[in-house]
Amino acid sequence: MREYLTADDICNQVSMTRSVFDGVVLLVEGVTDQRLFEKFIDKDSVMIIPGHSRDNVRGAVRTMSERRRDRRTIGIMDPDLDRLEGRKVSPPLFYTDFRDMEMMVIHSNALEDVLDEYCDRELLDAFKERVGPVRDAVVSASYPIGLLMWISQEERLNLSFKDLDFSRFVNPRTLSLDARTMVNDVINNSFNCRIGRKELLSMLDDRASELDDIWKAARGHDTVAILLIGLKKNFGSFNSRSLTTGELGGALRLAFSDNDFEGTDLYAATEDWAESRGVGLWKLVTQHRSSRS
């Protein structure tokens, strides 16, 4: 039933809560986002409601602000491809840092905490000496997939990225991505593809050369899947062998601390909004630490 909910349905849900709650209503895309941000909110003055889609969050926040004059409803959503296309939002709507919530988490110290839990230290040190930091490796491997999604959307190619076998085009020793094989697999995975492999690979190369920041293109789902390959086939300890992508993503979210959130652009922007209105939003318990390489 959630897929049939509209922005108006979410607005009506917010309006109904106003009979019993006059604090800040925070709209997020889904239940996973709700679980993450519930760790940080001031529970006495904030209620989180999932919008069940990016469009619902955007539409509901605009309607509540502009038509229903509700000044205490805000929304957080993933920018997805918006930053690549130069689109922006303004308060009371806010973007997560980077392409999506998962990439915001991967950028933080949460990644190091998860590596501490699931890595064999000697194997991890050998990988870092041979290749470099794990974070750089997984993002460098995942961003071409995100770029190809952008190309597919802009050119209306209707490429399918569902159920791709990442182990076919990600080298487990270096976590480097074979773009040619990845493009071939995406085309083979897509029904009635209207573009040739050579042309699509050339388009991907052109977009990559124009990209100013690979973090704008990298998608969390892909990055976590590539990290899992590294854990299972390279530098993971025994307790990583049975991990799934869902479990690894959950471990990263659990490791995302108050300190990590406080260091994001999202926190700074939303806290400014809350302070300007004299309302409570976040309630963090922070103990500053230095970032590890």
Side-chain angles (χ1 to χ4, degrees):
M1 294 295 292
R2 291 175 179 174
E3 63 268 25
Y4 299 110
L5 291 174
T6 67
D8 284 341
D9 293 324
I10 305 303
C11 287
N12 291 338
Q13 184 178 354
V14 174
S15 294
M16 283 189 293
T17 69
R18 287 307 184 198
S19 62
V20 294
F21 180 75
D22 63 356
V24 175
V25 174
L26 169 58
L27 301 182
V28 297
E29 290 188 36
V31 174
T32 299
D33 307 87
Q34 181 179 12
R35 290 173 184 158
L36 179 75
F37 292 116
E38 275 182 342
K39 298 197 300 182
F40 310 123
I41 60 170
D42 182 341
K43 292 180 174 60
D44 294 329
S45 57
V46 180
M47 176 185 296
I48 300 182
I49 295 178
H52 304 297
S53 80
R54 187 171 178 269
D55 288 342
N56 280 354
V57 172
R58 186 196 299 271
V61 168
R62 287 178 174 171
T63 297
M64 295 305 299
S65 175
E66 297 171 8
R67 296 193 346 218
R68 302 196 185 186
R69 304 299 181 185
D70 186 320
R71 303 303 184 189
R72 293 192 174 190
T73 295
I74 69 169
I76 294 174
M77 68 181 199
D78 296 336
D80 196 17
L81 297 173
D82 285 0
R83 287 196 177 104
L84 287 170
E85 296 175 345
R87 292 197 294 269
K88 299 179 180 179
V89 294
S90 57
L93 193 60
F94 301 89
Y95 282 145
T96 59
D97 294 27
F98 311 107
R99 180 163 172 167
D100 53 36
M101 180 264 288
E102 288 86 355
M103 291 308 297
M104 183 174 71
V105 172
I106 289 169
H107 188 266
S108 74
N109 279 301
L111 176 60
E112 278 75 26
D113 290 341
V114 168
L115 292 177
D116 286 345
E117 175 67 22
Y118 289 109
C119 284
D120 179 294
R121 179 52 56 183
E122 290 186 4
L123 294 176
L124 179 61
D125 288 345
F127 177 87
K128 291 165 70 174
E129 183 175 349
R130 185 175 67 252
V131 177
V134 171
R135 180 182 287 105
D136 294 349
V138 294
V139 175
S140 293
S142 67
Y143 88 87
I145 307 171
L147 276 185
L148 196 60
M149 290 180 174
W150 184 25
I151 293 169
S152 177
Q153 179 171 302
E154 279 206 327
E155 303 296 329
R156 299 182 180 179
L157 300 177
N158 199 32
L159 298 175
S160 175
F161 297 84
K162 186 178 180 181
D163 299 327
L164 288 176
D165 182 357
F166 285 72
S167 65
R168 283 183 43 81
F169 47 80
V170 175
N171 184 325
R173 176 175 167 77
T174 63
L175 296 187
S176 59
L177 178 134
D178 183 333
R180 184 178 299 275
T181 302
M182 185 266 290
V183 166
N184 285 342
D185 283 10
V186 170
I187 288 176
N188 291 334
N189 197 48
S190 305
F191 178 73
N192 198 22
C193 185
R194 300 180 291 102
I195 190 169
R197 292 167 176 80
K198 186 175 181 180
E199 182 181 359
L200 187 56
L201 189 61
S202 177
M203 294 173 69
L204 180 61
D205 288 340
D206 290 342
R207 291 293 176 94
S209 67
E210 297 168 357
L211 189 64
D212 63 335
D213 183 0
I214 64 175
W215 282 84
K216 290 180 181 178
R219 192 175 66 139
H221 172 80
D222 308 322
T223 309
V224 171
I226 293 167
L227 176 61
L228 186 62
I229 290 174
L231 286 170
K232 287 194 168 187
K233 298 186 177 182
N234 193 318
F235 44 73
S237 60
F238 72 94
N239 63 342
S240 68
R241 299 296 184 248
S242 61
L243 273 177
T244 65
T245 52
E247 290 168 341
L248 181 55
L252 286 161
R253 290 190 297 273
L254 284 172
F256 190 66
S257 69
D258 289 38
N259 286 86
D260 295 323
F261 182 52
E262 189 183 32
T264 64
D265 293 337
L266 173 63
Y267 171 80
T270 52
E271 185 68 1
D272 284 348
W273 175 89
E275 289 181 356
S276 71
R277 283 157 180 77
V279 297
L281 183 55
W282 309 116
K283 191 172 184 179
L284 306 184
V285 179
T286 57
Q287 184 175 1
H288 294 286
R289 61 179 178 175
S290 59
S291 178
R292 289 170 285 175
S293 61

